[in-house]
Amino acid sequence: MKLSKIRYFLIFMGPILTITIIFYFMIGWCIYISMTDWRSARVSMKFVGLRNYFDVVQSREFYVSLINNIQWIALFMLPTTFLGLVIAYLIILTGKETIFRTIFLLPTAISMVVAGTLWVWMYATNGGINTLLRMIGLGSLARPWLSDPRTALYALIFVTVWQYLGFSIIVFEAAIKGIDRTLIEAAVVDGASGFQVFRYVILPQVRHGFLIAVPLLGLSALKVFDVVFVATRGGPGISTYVLAYYMWVKAFWWRFMADGAAIAVILLLLSLVLVIPYATYALRRWFG
Amino acid sequence: MIVISTTIAKYVLGGYFMVSKVVAYIAIAVIITAIVVGVAVYYLVPRPAPPAAPPPAKPPAKPAPPAKELIIYHWWTAGGEREAIDAVFKIFKEKIPGVKISENPIAGGAGAVMKPVIWQLLAAGTPPDTFQVHAGGELKEYVDAGYLEPVDDVWSELGLEKVIPGTLQAMCKFGGHYYAVPINVHRSNVLWYNPTVFKKLGIIEKFGDPRTWDLETLLKVCKYIKENAPKVLGKTVYPIAVATRHKWPLTHLFEVLLALHGGPEIYVKFWTGKFKYKDPKDPVWKAVRDVLRAIGIMAKEGYFNPDHPELTWDQAAAKVMKGECAMYIHGDWVAGYYMAVKAKYGEEWSAAPFPKKIFVCLSDCFNLPKKAPHRDIAIEWLRVVGSKEAQEKFNVIKGSIPARVDVKPKYPDPYRPETAEDWVKSTLVPSAVHGGLSKEAFVTAMHDILTYMISSIEMGTDVDKAVDYAVTQIAVAIERTGLVDFWKGYTIDYFITKR
Amino acid sequence: MADVKLDHVTKIFGGRVVAVDNITLHIRDGEFFVLLGPSGCGKTTTLRIIAGLEKPTAGRVYIGGVDVTDLPPKDRDVAMVFQSYALYPHMTVYDNIAFPLKIRKMPKHEIDRRVREVARMLYIEDLLDRKPAQLSGGQQQRVALARALVRQPKVFLFDEPLSNLDAKLRIEARAFLKRLQKELKITTVYVTHDQAEAMTMADRIAVMNAGKVIQVGTPDDIYWKPTHVFVAGFIGAPSMNLVDVSYVEKEDKVYLQGPGFELDITPLASVVRPRLKHTELIMGVRPEHLEIVDRPVDPHCVPGEVYVIEPLGAETIVNVRVGDSIFKVRVLGAVKYNVGDKVYLHFDLNRVYIFDRKTGEAIII
């Protein structure tokens, strides 16, 4: 009995500790590299302090990327979570959950590379969206979505909303279905309208849905890379630069590993700012 | 011994059960931090491109005696390219019967995806036997990092110095040693045009052979096409096609125009940073400004196809073929594209070296990494790559020309004979955009600077203001990217084959 | 204050399953009305139709004389207490009770007054700051009740509100609920499968089976005058002895002939004979209306044998085998018989029920 317990302890804790140590080692390593002068193909570990951070932070690309990432988080997370919740509620109301769930999940299953390419066609000057707009007589709204630096970022943000909506819907569908049906019925009998049921009964009880969805979606918005790489490479100009893409450019095209690592550390800090408050909040809720 | 161990076991067990609650707390804390940090690190720490294949399982690095194997990385996966490299593999297999070729083809134009994978393998000390690389600055980065072995013996054995022009020799030779064997040559400076459009507008009658145009003439031609196409052809024809979704085709245009306008010396000075870049009066800046302004005017006047940010290089080529654009300044792989889509030469496409007297070249080559697991086989491979037979077979299919001037294949297309002729007659300089010169960091910076410039001009910024801003950005990039240091010890003559 | 009328109400689920089959009921103003039946009999669906949670497939529903068939629940002014209590877990007890008032946009001080009043009435004043998860089952049940009461609705609807309580609490709550209802005089519809609850609380009971109302009546009516063999069998513990019998006339006497016995019912003949459609009948007699005797005291005795004895303290259930049938007999106190004793069962003919075996309907009441 005792022996088997300790064996289970070792079986589970061993890998977890190893993985944890590797993670922390990687972080430490990354932080260390970010303070070296590794700025060429040759590995170089000379300590230069925070020089790379100053260089990175002062660059125009960083500034643009940071603003874009902030916009991305705001404009991606709010619609994705709330649309996800509302659509999940509506799907449940229709009772045709399987069909709708499949439809909304499909984009999530598509790889971002494929999705990105697909949306480049959709957004093209003579692509799907503009053709559709002209067909329904809204030709004046047709524009070169990705070719115009004023719309390119938002066009890409929409692609990520499109991709992650299914995920959000699943999370909230599960959360809503976890609510006792009679609670909703009780509220209905107590005189609540559909909206009031949503506001007072469903919304407060799908908090754990937000607990799951918000940090994950926030992180995806912060780390967004593939759609930018595939669709625009940060263009037109540098209008769709984001931090992860800037990191890639610096680390792999410039071969400035130290600068790339510095951006990575900045991203890590940003993600911790996003995650830690939420994680603490989540823990407090879960453990009472 | 037993007593001690049982005591320890008891202590540990007892301790474990006594502190089980504490352990549980620690475990939970550890798991949660691991997950939180892990998620963050996993996504944030530099790693190869998501679409890239994971670094393939390496064969055992220990000296397996009979291993007749060649581990090779390349990015030739598209139609035409695939068949070309297969032809070389076939020759190699005939030469070394029973050899096993472990290929790792990684798709992605110009190795954009493969290169990070190679860098990782090299940094991890598990190199392949050989890998594809662009001759020139791109190769030099690996040499500087100390990852490659010289291949002087292969060069002397095959007598390559006698049959490969000086510029390409220079692109393979650093610190007095050769580090790679080139397999082919592409020309970067070609003007592709739609002959039907040209004929109807009488461009050649009016402005002469494009082979002799200068920058000013090019702008005049653009203006003429833009103004007259609607009248003559009844539709808008954009004079110059460009594609900036992947950005580099715009830098490519800049490169060709700089060679055209500045000549070989200024071209090489600019791309190696060998000029007084802090002095705005330096003659290199003048030429660069002229070219930037010309590109700025093209953007301002709508000479470019307006949908360029959503196109890749081949889609821009297609626009010329369809007559939506009149001209396209791009490398000669465009010919391969036109042949692949069966476009009619002389009707839908035609080509002119631009300018004829300069050949901006790029070359794919193979090399020998240090600690290559099958060194002897890799050397055999390089011998095949440098051989006449392989160069002939490969290039006829691939759409390029042989690096060796003594290989004279029969080309099925009308374009390449002229290129092959120019390869021995024109002045040669390496292409910066395609890894021949400069430094990837600087070229990447140029992509962003140039696309930003035309994008801001198209949004209404004044041309001169945008050019001024681009110039300051370029100066900063020269400083930041370490371009000057990179080419320390090399003169500009080293890269120019003057003819 | 209002009455509730169901007029030929039918509910069919998914086009096939008939949950409620053409029910017509009139629940009077201020009445405590119980829908009683086994699970799946349609009683909860009927309640939900009154609440507006289900729309009837056919028929109309009236509350206080107003046709509410097409009105949503919130416009019907009914309050419902669910079996699971359906307390909002994220709200305090106070907020739970205040909820129906809050969404009606009642002024804050008025809400406060009413919540405290109803909390006092239900002895949950000191629980107002707690969350439902911190309450016992009985306390939760009172909070659910308070939430229903606070609105002073026209009609109370209860869906098995006591079934999640333990036996002792249930008996207390039964009395409490009944007294409360009598004080407030609010029309109440109460669904249960527990006949004891129904009998103790109801002013009137509707016994339901398979979507149909079998009998409506006061608890006395339901007990003493079952109109249908289903009601007879469902009410009473232990339930009524029901035996398949045939009607037989021999010479000038009339018998009910069961498997291995005959009961002389000659005095009833004049009542039974004109109502007979055929001779296939069911005889019913409650255990408390049978008597065990040593020898026949009159012609209405049949011989049997003591089969099982189940002592319950204050009373004893004796199973007596008569022919091939077993009759349960309720005897006060202890019994003097042992298993295997030869005895006679004495039938009180005024307490013998006779039902038509084909329709289940009562022939004499």
Side-chain angles (χ1 to χ4, degrees), chain C residues 102-265:
Chain C
K102 194 174 150 200
I103 57 177
R104 284 187 162 70
K105 310 243 167 7
M106 193 176 270
K108 270 223 163 77
H109 58 91
E110 175 66 11
I111 294 178
D112 192 63
R113 193 186 60 76
R114 286 230 215 159
V115 170
R116 291 190 189 283
E117 187 188 306
V118 76
R120 200 176 317 122
M121 193 156 64
L122 293 169
Y123 312 109
I124 49 173
E125 281 170 291
D126 45 345
L127 306 177
L128 287 176
D129 295 332
R130 297 209 197 155
K131 289 273 178 72
Q134 297 163 311
L135 303 180
S136 70
Q139 290 169 331
Q140 288 184 16
Q141 200 258 337
R142 280 159 192 256
V143 175
L145 204 55
R147 192 176 63 191
L149 278 176
V150 77
R151 264 166 52 201
Q152 302 164 356
K154 282 191 200 143
V155 180
F156 260 157
L157 304 173
F158 290 93
D159 184 8
E160 309 224 12
L162 305 184
S163 60
N164 285 1
L165 299 180
D166 60 52
K168 190 164 162 280
L169 263 178
R170 204 180 314 165
I171 289 164
E172 283 174 22
R174 219 149 74 181
F176 178 79
L177 258 181
K178 185 172 181 178
R179 211 196 68 225
L180 197 70
Q181 198 270 342
K182 288 294 155 232
E183 279 171 19
L184 298 171
K185 298 190 180 62
I186 295 177
T187 315
T188 299
V189 185
Y190 187 107
V191 160
T192 184
H193 66 272
D194 180 344
Q195 50 150 323
E197 257 173 47
M199 299 297 277
T200 51
M201 297 166 86
D203 292 330
R204 283 196 303 151
I205 297 171
V207 180
M208 291 184 68
N209 187 36
K212 289 194 170 75
V213 171
I214 308 295
Q215 185 177 2
V216 181
T218 62
D220 272 0
D221 286 345
I222 298 287
Y223 181 82
W224 291 110
K225 298 172 185 167
T227 58
H228 192 279
V229 68
F230 175 80
V231 177
F234 193 74
I235 302 290
S239 54
M240 185 186 278
N241 298 299
L242 293 169
V243 183
D244 287 355
V245 292
S246 311
Y247 177 88
V248 179
E249 293 187 7
K250 274 195 272 186
E251 293 149 21
D252 56 346
K253 295 203 179 244
V254 173
Y255 298 93
L256 290 179
Q257 200 171 59
F261 72 90
E262 268 182 356
L263 176 64
D264 180 352
I265 56 156

Side-chain angles (χ1 to χ4, degrees), chain B residues 55-283:
Chain B
K58 299 271 68 183
K62 25 180 150 124
K68 278 216 254 177
E69 187 185 5
L70 181 75
I71 304 163
I72 180 169
Y73 278 72
H74 64 83
W75 60 74
W76 284 316
T77 54
E81 303 177 343
R82 178 74 257 175
E83 290 78 6
I85 189 69
D86 280 345
V88 184
F89 286 153
K90 199 168 158 244
I91 297 167
F92 184 58
K93 277 182 178 156
E94 279 161 16
K95 196 171 169 198
I96 306 176
V99 71
K100 180 175 170 246
I101 297 175
S102 301
E103 262 193 286
N104 297 279
I106 299 181
V113 181
M114 190 190 103
K115 277 190 258 173
V117 176
I118 289 290
W119 280 109
Q120 289 221 329
L121 290 178
L122 293 172
T126 54
D129 293 319
T130 188
F131 60 91
Q132 182 187 357
V133 61
H134 281 135
E138 194 178 307
L139 175 63
K140 183 171 183 287
E141 292 200 45
Y142 295 97
V143 175
D144 287 354
Y147 288 135
L148 300 181
E149 247 188 78
V151 292
D152 297 327
D153 294 348
V154 178
W155 273 68
S156 56
E157 205 179 298
L158 293 171
L160 292 180
E161 281 188 341
K162 280 179 232 112
V163 293
I164 287 179
T167 295
L168 186 48
Q169 286 182 31
M171 288 157 75
C172 296
K173 191 177 187 180
F174 302 100
H177 293 288
Y178 290 105
Y179 284 94
V181 178
I183 193 167
N184 69 343
V185 167
H186 275 294
R187 187 175 197 163
S188 147
N189 59 320
V190 183
L191 184 125
W192 309 88
Y193 61 92
N194 185 304
T196 314
V197 171
F198 263 41
K199 213 170 281 164
K200 285 193 178 149
L201 290 171
I203 300 293
I204 292 174
E205 292 78 34
K206 246 188 160 59
F207 298 96
D209 189 337
R211 289 168 178 78
T212 62
W213 291 351
D214 58 10
L215 188 59
E216 215 172 308
T217 315
L218 181 68
L219 282 175
K220 278 185 195 152
V221 173
C222 288
K223 190 163 191 269
Y224 186 82
I225 294 173
K226 178 87 182 172
E227 284 170 1
N228 291 290
K231 282 180 264 170
V232 180
L233 296 163
K235 62 171 182 178
T236 305
V237 173
Y238 296 103
I240 298 226
V242 69
T244 59
R245 180 170 157 206
H246 291 163
K247 295 190 171 181
W248 62 266
L250 182 64
T251 317
H252 189 119
L253 172 68
F254 171 82
E255 162 184 297
V256 174
L257 295 186
L258 186 62
L260 168 77
H261 185 66
E265 284 81 12
I266 282 182
Y267 173 89
V268 173
K269 277 181 186 168
F270 175 76
W271 286 114
T272 51
K274 291 187 181 304
F275 67 108
K276 296 197 200 75
Y277 61 86
K278 283 174 184 154
D279 176 8
K281 291 196 188 72
D282 192 282

Side-chain angles (χ1 to χ4, degrees), chain C residues 8-42:
Chain C
H8 299 287
V9 168
T10 295
K11 176 74 191 179
I12 300 171
F13 286 112
R16 283 184 298 117
V17 183
V18 182
V20 175
D21 190 358
N22 196 18
I23 282 182
T24 299
L25 280 176
H26 182 204
I27 298 151
R28 296 175 199 128
D29 185 15
E31 188 175 33
F32 198 118
F33 193 89
V34 172
L35 293 172
L36 175 67
S39 57
C41 72

Side-chain angles (χ1 to χ4, degrees), chain A residues 182-183 185 187 190-191 200 205, chain C residues 48 74 87-90 104:
Chain A
T182 56
L183 288 186
E185 290 180 342
D190 281 345
Y200 292 111
Q205 294 202 69
Chain C
R48 291 166 63 86
K74 68 185 171 81
L87 300 178
Y88 310 121
H90 54 285
R104 284 187 162 70

Side-chain angles (χ1 to χ4, degrees), chain A residues 162-241:
Chain A
W162 174 83
Q163 255 226 319
Y164 282 91
L165 193 58
F167 163 77
S168 173
I169 288 171
I170 291 279
V171 168
F172 284 110
E173 196 191 324
I176 293 173
K177 292 190 111 178
I179 302 172
D180 184 356
R181 247 197 103 75
T182 56
L183 288 186
I184 295 164
E185 290 180 342
V188 167
V189 176
D190 281 345
S193 63
F195 175 75
Q196 281 171 323
V197 169
F198 186 74
R199 162 77 186 76
Y200 292 111
V201 181
I202 291 175
L203 200 58
Q205 294 202 69
V206 294
R207 284 227 187 110
H208 56 289
F210 284 100
L211 235 45
I212 296 164
V214 166
L216 286 179
L217 291 177
L219 279 180
S220 357
L222 199 59
K223 77 174 173 69
V224 64
F225 167 82
D226 26 22
V227 68
V228 173
F229 185 85
V230 171
T232 63
R233 298 252 164 116
I238 56 167
S239 60
T240 57
Y241 251 73

